[in-house]
Amino acid sequence: MSEHMIETVIRKRIEILVDKPLVGRITREITAAGIKGWTVMPVISGSGRDGPWHEDRITSSDKAMIITISSVENALKLAEALQPILTSHGMLLDMWDVEVIRAERF
């Protein structure tokens, strides 16, 4: 049995919880930070500092999770660009180190 070494590199995984009407603005900031790709996923419910919440189509307060992976440099650019509106727009941004294969894609 032969051993295959898989090379990985460290990148930042970023998740941004945002109201759906802001998705376009956030994805434009992702692109402006030099990040190549992103995924938007619907979020149905959750609980936070103010207690439980759920999707409410009547008031258009649907939420989305935007997920992307990037270099540390571009992740920091994005965080800096979004920092001024995180609190005012009730957004949550988290990031952590992940190992990826095919580093050139991120």
Side-chain angles (χ1 to χ4, degrees):
M1 188 166 129
S2 64
E3 283 189 41
H4 296 290
M5 295 297 295
I6 297 175
E7 282 192 43
T8 62
V9 296
I10 301 296
R11 294 292 188 252
K12 289 290 187 186
R13 178 181 168 115
I14 305 160
E15 294 184 350
I16 306 165
L17 180 66
V18 62
D19 290 336
K20 279 187 181 176
L22 292 173
V23 167
R25 179 177 180 180
I26 303 307
T27 56
R28 285 190 296 276
E29 291 289 351
I30 290 170
T31 301
I35 299 171
K36 297 176 184 176
W38 40 265
T39 300
V40 177
M41 299 172 51
V43 176
I44 298 169
S45 66
S47 182
R49 185 181 62 223
D50 296 328
W53 56 268
H54 60 85
E55 177 181 43
D56 183 358
R57 294 192 186 276
I58 295 171
T59 62
S60 298
S61 63
D62 295 355
K63 296 209 181 276
M65 180 69 72
I66 304 171
I67 302 169
T68 188
I69 297 175
S70 82
S71 67
V72 172
E73 179 184 342
N74 289 347
L76 294 176
K77 283 183 198 175
L78 177 62
E80 185 176 334
L82 295 180
Q83 192 278 329
I85 64 169
L86 291 175
T87 300
S88 63
H89 289 74
M91 296 170 21
L92 173 67
L93 183 151
D94 58 42
M95 67 174 79
W96 63 92
D97 291 344
V98 294
E99 290 184 66
V100 299
I101 301 170
R102 301 185 301 166
E104 71 280 358
R105 296 183 61 98
F106 306 99

